[in-house]
Amino acid sequence: DAGVIQSPRHEVTEMGQEVTLRCKPISGHDYLFWYRQTMMRGLELLIYFNNNVPIDDSGMPEDRFSAKMPNASFSTLKIQPSEPRDSAVYFCATLPGQRVIGELFFGEGSRLTVL
Amino acid sequence: GNSVTQMEGPVTLSEEAFLTINCTYTATGYPSLFWYVQYPGEGLQLLLKATKADDKGSNKGFEATYRKETTSFHLEKGSVQVSDSAVYFCALSGTGGGNKLTFGTGTQLKVEL
């Protein structure tokens, strides 16, 4: 079984540019989460979806961040415009609906560097 | 709100040493507790879990017991290996937290020969 697939694995961009991170969840998993990891703040939940519907976006830092899940096979996290403080590793994680809460399957992450 | 506090790292041990990584939590209701492990360059993986008080989670030689009276979920292993070198995260999901996990800041473990 393929795991959670994220792309790109590494992205280096300049301040002000648009960044789009992509996630392909495990087939059949009903929940999808976007996390951000930094040394200073650790792991932060940005947003999560259930059956493609955004349930909680209270962790999205500001309007520059947006996330979509147009279908069960694909989600994007977009930052526009990007800033140096957005530099982090962004993880996508999924959860089968029938499992106990908390047993997440993580992708390998997208490392973003904003210069 | 919910929070998780872990001991700061890095923790450096010799192979075959005993490991303890402390984790305490604050939560409303009766949370489920988890340990995740992150190997270099990879995403997090679930290591073990406990869903109610006095439960013991175990996997790959690691153990943790859900202690409600001390609000703790310390991770232990009797004999670590070099391959256990990674970052370990304690996490909780509670009745008041919906489907969200609250993670600790992570503890880096380095095991040397």
Side-chain angles (χ1 to χ4, degrees):
Chain A
D1 275 348
V4 176
I5 299 173
Q6 292 188 243
S7 64
R9 291 293 311 276
H10 302 274
E11 174 93 3
V12 180
T13 190
E14 293 189 346
M15 184 173 63
Q17 297 298 306
E18 178 178 293
V19 173
T20 299
L21 308 177
R22 298 172 178 81
C23 175
K24 178 178 170 54
I26 295 172
S27 178
H29 284 203
D30 296 335
Y31 291 85
L32 185 142
F33 302 78
W34 281 101
Y35 282 89
R36 177 171 69 176
Q37 185 180 39
T38 61
M39 290 295 292
M40 292 298 295
R41 301 173 68 92
L43 267 168
E44 303 172 278
L45 176 64
L46 301 178
I47 184 171
Y48 80 91
F49 297 82
N50 178 213
N51 291 321
N52 314 334
V53 176
I55 302 301
D56 186 344
D57 65 355
S58 59
M60 296 286 263
E62 49 197 276
D63 291 346
R64 298 184 298 106
F65 286 69
S66 62
K68 294 182 180 179
M69 192 165 185
N71 57 62
S73 303
F74 185 65
S75 177
T76 60
L77 178 68
K78 185 176 293 186
I79 309 172
Q80 166 63 22
S82 59
E83 297 182 2
R85 61 191 166 123
D86 302 331
S87 298
V89 181
Y90 291 82
F91 288 103
C92 177
T94 66
L95 177 74
Q98 69 271 24
R99 296 250 189 169
V100 68
I101 299 305
E103 294 189 34
L104 300 180
F105 292 77
F106 280 78
E108 294 186 322
S110 294
R111 180 176 294 277
L112 173 65
T113 303
V114 183
L115 303 173
Chain B
N2 296 344
S3 67
V4 175
T5 302
Q6 288 182 238
M7 61 188 289
E8 288 196 20
V11 173
T12 303
L13 296 173
S14 298
E15 200 168 45
E16 299 183 2
F18 184 85
L19 168 71
T20 300
I21 299 178
N22 290 338
C23 171
T24 57
Y25 67 89
T26 302
T28 55
Y30 301 94
S32 296
L33 301 173
F34 306 85
W35 278 100
Y36 277 78
V37 59
Q38 184 180 28
Y39 298 102
E42 298 184 10
L44 282 71
Q45 305 172 25
L46 178 65
L47 180 60
L48 54 83
K49 64 179 174 71
T51 57
K52 61 182 187 297
D54 300 324
D55 268 2
K56 176 185 285 188
S58 61
N59 186 26
K60 300 180 181 179
F62 290 89
E63 294 182 339
T65 301
Y66 187 158
R67 300 286 189 200
K68 189 172 186 299
E69 63 276 13
T70 55
T71 62
S72 65
F73 193 55
H74 304 321
L75 183 67
E76 297 182 335
K77 187 175 186 183
S79 176
V80 294
Q81 306 299 312
V82 172
S83 57
D84 293 326
S85 298
V87 181
Y88 292 82
F89 292 87
C90 187
L92 69 82
S93 66
T95 54
N99 294 328
K100 297 190 290 188
L101 278 184
T102 300
F103 284 92
T105 52
T107 303
Q108 185 175 14
L109 171 65
K110 297 179 181 179
V111 181
E112 301 173 336
L113 289 171

